[in-house]
Amino acid sequence: MPIEIAPVTPDFVARITGIDLARPLSDADRQAIVSACDHYAVLVFPDQLLSKEALVAFGRSFGEVDTSLQKKLLNHVQNRLGTDEVTDISNVDAEGKVAAPDHWQTITTVGNRFWHSDGSYKHTPIRYSILNAVTAVAHGGETQYADLRAAWDALDETTQKLLSDKVGIFWSHNTRDQLKIPDTQAERSAFPKMRWPLVRRHPGSGRKVLWCDSKVCAIEGMPVPEGRALAHELIEHIGQRERVYSHKWQPGDLVMYDNRATVHRGRRFDHAERREMRRVETVDDSCSLGPAERQDIV
Ligand code: OGA
Ligand code: MN
């Protein structure tokens, strides 16, 4: 069956059918998916509930699968899925039951409610994230995706100029601290702060992207409050409705998104309902400018 790509807008989000992701990808299909992701940045594959093994194999077709979050942090708490290559994005406890609202597993996913690009706080971030819904909730619980290329294009020239040589400092706990998620000091310092240019070019599309998310705790060369206010302004700009696609999950949906060109956030839902997703992430080969010198900026 031929792979079919149905765009949601001319250059952001496409639905892909006519392919069985549980089977090994042909080179042609793999290439078609990479090209589609370069162009649309978010790909929705309906009706593809994969086993953990098949999900990992699909991820591996696009590069090394990241395990750093599991190894550094998540294994200390709960590893229900029993593998470092699949992250448990759910409100389910170790026994498989819906976890209480104040259970660690529930609270940690609340950290996903701020706009972010997966791994933006890592030295080597994430290229593709692949989310597969096992169950979905009746109300809310959408994942929203915002287009960082369109966000750059829509900035006025003065702001583009201001940002052109700016470097942001990204920290894993910028959001978790705001939420007062009770992480330990060891967890808070597991990933040192990283430096990234706020304007980058996507290698696959050649388009410039506004590289800013909720992990930005300071902008170099600016007083801390000024930098944080600017980051806040940019995130508001990025999240404008006309550049956002909201995905309402059905069980079996698989969404693959390019973290180099998008940010995303989870939306609120009733934690009494079971929401269970599995995530595989591939390692990107771009590197941050290095650890931030001023580790004291928070
Ligand atoms: C993620 C994430 C949002 C959601 O898994 O990386 O941000 O809606 N998820 O669960
Ligand atoms: Mn995420």
Side-chain angles (χ1 to χ4, degrees), residues 250-296:
Q250 301 294 327
D253 281 354
L254 183 148
V255 176
M256 173 172 176
Y257 49 97
D258 188 333
N259 286 291
R260 300 167 299 181
T262 59
V263 290
H264 60 280
R265 64 175 178 182
R267 300 299 271 168
R268 185 164 49 81
F269 62 97
D270 179 354
H271 285 302
E273 280 193 76
R274 186 184 187 93
R275 183 177 190 265
E276 190 179 349
M277 322 238 265
R278 295 172 180 168
R279 186 186 68 188
V280 164
E281 300 171 299
T282 70
V283 174
D284 191 39
D285 56 7
S286 61
C287 288
S288 86
L289 301 173
E293 275 161 36
R294 288 189 53 196
Q295 288 295 310
D296 57 314

Side-chain angles (χ1 to χ4, degrees), residues 39-73:
H39 187 77
Y40 297 105
V42 179
L43 305 178
V44 177
F45 299 84
D47 203 13
Q48 305 271 0
L49 184 53
L50 303 188
S51 66
K52 285 183 287 185
E53 295 73 22
L55 187 60
V56 171
F58 178 65
R60 270 206 205 109
S61 329
F62 305 100
E64 183 191 341
V65 167
D66 184 88
T67 55
S68 61
L69 191 64
Q70 304 285 358
K71 290 212 174 98
K72 284 199 182 200
L73 295 177

Side-chain angles (χ1 to χ4, degrees), residues 116-126 196 211 213 259 281:
H116 66 281
S117 170
D118 290 332
S120 63
Y121 54 88
K122 294 177 185 169
H123 178 65
T124 307
I126 301 301
W196 285 102
W211 181 249
D213 75 2
N259 286 291
E281 300 171 299

